[in-house]
Amino acid sequence: MTLKLPMYMDNAATTPCDPRVVEAMLPYFTETFGNPGSRNHAFGWAAEEAVDKARRQVAKLIGADRKEIIFTSGSTESNNIAIKGAAYMYQNAPAGSDKCRGHIITGNIEHKAVLDPCKRLEKEGFEVTYLEPGPDGIFTREMVEGALREDTILVTLMWANNEIGTINEVPQIGELCHDKGIIFHTDATQWVGKMPTDVNTDNVDLLSLSGHKMYGPKGVGALYVRRRRPRVRLVPLTEGGGQERGYRSGTLNVTGIVGLGAAAEISLQEMDSERERLLKLRERLEGEITKQLDTTQVNGHAQKRLPHLTNISFGFVEGESLMMACKDIAMSSGSACTSASLEPSYVLKGLGVGDDLAHSSLRLSLGRWTTEEEVEYAIGNIVEAVNKLRQLSPLYDMHKEGIDITKIEWQAH
Ligand SMILES: *Cc1c(COP(=O)(O)O)cnc(C)c1O
């Protein structure tokens, strides 16, 4: 089989839509185009039926009841509705009072779609604890327990990290929160559709998921809102037609929702075999790269990680040059472009990875259509590029000669 270049190894950023999903969506653009809110004619009823089917498909994927699914535009919106909506509902003091409105616990390596709503709440009088993980990147029940206060109202921690794939102790943290009567939200964008999920045995109250991270369309997602034990209530952020139990007003994105439902059903059916296949490919990719190259480091916990993702730092190369030398592979680097400069990833920094290694790291995330041939190509390409770049590095030469370059006293200019 001939390789098609460039190849896609950035499935943690977004996934292609499964053709079966597209097919399921098509009739809802032109034929069954009704507004599910039109309760008095057949066009509306047909659309409502389609939305209801999708609601059941998404609920089944996470072990929820269909009434507990709120459709949104994606995980960013789901996180905002969950975090701000719960904070405003369960606050201890009204807006504008001098007292702390409530204490929230999160992590410092969360996605911006969690960190920024938390920062907003801080400005409004809530207090937020940003837990720091150990070098393995994992948040445990013990860490949350250590940060609890009398006035803690909400804990929000992601299920699996989008940069390093590490898996947090969600069921245990959820159990702790339930014991203490604290609402527990998890951003499960990278987890759902890939790993078995049951909101009841996993003790989750609020859960965010997104279509385009699980082979569905972009611009559609869902928020799970627990209805029993406890019945979670939220202050809505958007007001209007009162759709989605009043939590998310606005005419439903029927085509997107149908696509999300289809994606959920396919993911549930294929999850076990897909996980196994991708783990083998990831092990081959990661194993060969770290075997053929010295001075590399896999970031995050060695086992407690998503099976399709790896994040590797390469000593003595510059991340941007490495990306340039591997232009045929679409992947992410450990640097984030801000307006003027390259900033090392705050997630890697949060684990204690130094700036140099953070800059020289790559995130490769495999997906439903990744082939063995692509993995072999990526191994060859990355190993060759790193070797070439290191040949040009005097620091690497010194390292090979056994000089500890961290101990060198550089001469001042
Ligand atoms: C992609 C992602 C988001 C944002 O999801 P959208 O649906 O694109 O808004 C939030 N959290 C995590 C962990 C993600 O990976």
Side-chain angles (χ1 to χ4, degrees):
M1 215 175 80
T2 52
L3 270 181
K4 210 172 133 241
L5 297 176
M7 63 175 67
Y8 192 69
M9 291 202 173
D10 202 15
N11 287 274
T14 192
T15 52
C17 215
D18 192 303
R20 295 167 287 183
V21 167
V22 178
E23 201 172 325
M25 291 169 71
L26 284 175
Y28 295 92
F29 286 101
T30 48
E31 290 160 39
T32 316
F33 59 84
N35 185 333
S38 302
R39 293 277 156 77
N40 44 9
H41 56 63
F43 294 83
W45 301 330
E48 193 185 11
E49 209 175 289
V51 169
D52 197 52
K53 179 179 174 195
R55 210 182 288 286
R56 277 182 271 121
Q57 288 167 317
V58 172
K60 191 169 177 204
L61 179 64
I62 60 170
D65 184 275
R66 55 183 250 286
K67 295 199 196 86
E68 298 175 308
I69 303 300
I70 306 297
F71 288 117
T72 67
S73 65
S75 278
T76 302
E77 189 184 9
S78 297
N79 288 344
N80 273 272
I81 296 174
I83 294 168
K84 293 181 196 161
Y88 298 149
M89 178 57 72
Y90 297 98
Q91 61 188 328
N92 302 318
S97 99
D98 300 340
K99 289 200 346 218
C100 166
R101 293 178 70 186
H103 176 237
I104 297 165
I105 298 173
T106 186
N108 65 346
I109 62 170
E110 291 288 310
H111 194 276
K112 292 283 183 198
V114 165
L115 291 175
D116 285 356
C118 286
K119 283 189 194 133
R120 157 72 52 195
L121 291 171
E122 269 184 303
K123 289 201 187 99
E124 295 176 3
F126 292 85
E127 287 177 12
V128 181
T129 297
Y130 298 90
L131 295 174
E132 293 171 15
D136 63 6
I138 288 177
F139 292 96
T140 64
R141 175 186 167 129
E142 215 180 351
M143 292 176 188
V144 176
E145 201 156 17
L148 285 181
R149 298 188 345 197
E150 277 293 301
D151 60 346
T152 306
I153 54 172
L154 172 70
V155 172
T156 171
L157 282 168
M158 68 204 326
W159 206 317
N161 185 276
N162 48 298
E163 282 193 36
I164 51 177
T166 44
I167 298 167
N168 293 326
E169 286 186 359
V170 162
Q172 294 88 339
I173 294 167
E175 186 183 42
L176 172 70
C177 290
H178 278 179
D179 286 350
K180 304 280 181 191
I182 296 165
I183 302 295
F184 177 47
H185 166 253
T186 186
D187 176 352
T189 313
Q190 296 287 342
W191 172 270
V192 165
K194 322 272 169 45
M195 306 292 273
T197 308
D198 185 317
V199 287
N200 289 311
T201 52
D202 295 326
N203 306 313
V204 173
D205 294 325
L206 295 161
L207 176 148
S208 305
L209 63 90
S210 179
H212 76 99
K213 304 281 175 86
M214 46 185 268
Y215 311 100
K218 292 171 181 58
V220 65
L223 175 66
Y224 158 77
V225 183
R226 175 173 288 283
R227 272 167 66 95
R228 294 178 59 229
R229 283 182 291 153
R231 182 182 182 89
V232 177
R233 293 182 306 144
L234 303 169
V235 172
L237 307 182
T238 313
E239 272 130 334
Q243 289 91 342
E244 301 299 275
R245 291 167 54 204
Y247 290 142
R248 207 280 192 171
S249 281
T251 300
L252 296 180
N253 170 9
V254 177
T255 46
I257 289 167
V258 166
L260 178 61
E265 184 168 332
I266 295 166
S267 292
L268 188 60
Q269 278 163 5
E270 304 188 353
M271 184 181 295
D272 292 340
S273 57
E274 187 160 275
R275 206 165 69 227
E276 216 169 291
R277 189 182 81 85
L278 292 181
L279 178 62
K280 281 204 190 98
L281 290 180
R282 198 270 308 270
E283 281 178 343
R284 169 87 189 153
L285 178 70
E286 189 180 279
E288 279 304 308
I289 289 175
T290 54
K291 193 176 88 189
Q292 294 184 34
L293 293 169
D294 57 70
T295 333
T296 59
Q297 161 186 317
V298 175
N299 296 307
H301 194 284
Q303 281 85 42
K304 295 176 187 166
R305 264 188 309 155
L306 293 172
H308 57 279
L309 188 154
T310 182
N311 187 309
I312 309 174
S313 295
F314 303 86
F316 308 101
V317 293
E318 217 234 332
E320 285 311 293
S321 320
L322 183 52
M323 295 276 281
M324 287 292 284
C326 301
K327 274 209 286 279
D328 287 332
I329 310 171
M331 53 192 170
S332 282
S333 80
S335 310
C337 255
T338 59
S339 52
S341 65
L342 277 179
E343 287 280 326
S345 142
Y346 69 91
V347 173
L348 295 175
K349 283 186 83 164
L351 306 189
V353 177
D355 282 10
D356 282 359
L357 275 184
H359 272 309
S360 75
S361 66
L362 298 177
R363 176 188 71 182
L364 294 132
S365 43
L366 313 181
R368 190 165 285 167
W369 291 281
T370 304
T371 64
E372 280 179 41
E373 290 80 4
E374 287 177 328
V375 166
E376 295 308 321
Y377 180 93
I379 295 166
N381 193 176
I382 291 170
V383 168
E384 188 189 320
V386 170
N387 280 332
K388 263 203 192 125
L389 290 169
R390 283 180 176 172
Q391 274 168 20
L392 307 171
S393 161
L395 288 180
Y396 184 65
D397 278 347
M398 292 163 76
H399 168 74
K400 289 300 264 185
E401 285 161 23
I403 300 168
D404 183 353
I405 58 157
T406 61
K407 299 245 163 63
I408 293 176
E409 286 181 34
W410 304 101
Q411 212 176 325
H413 291 291

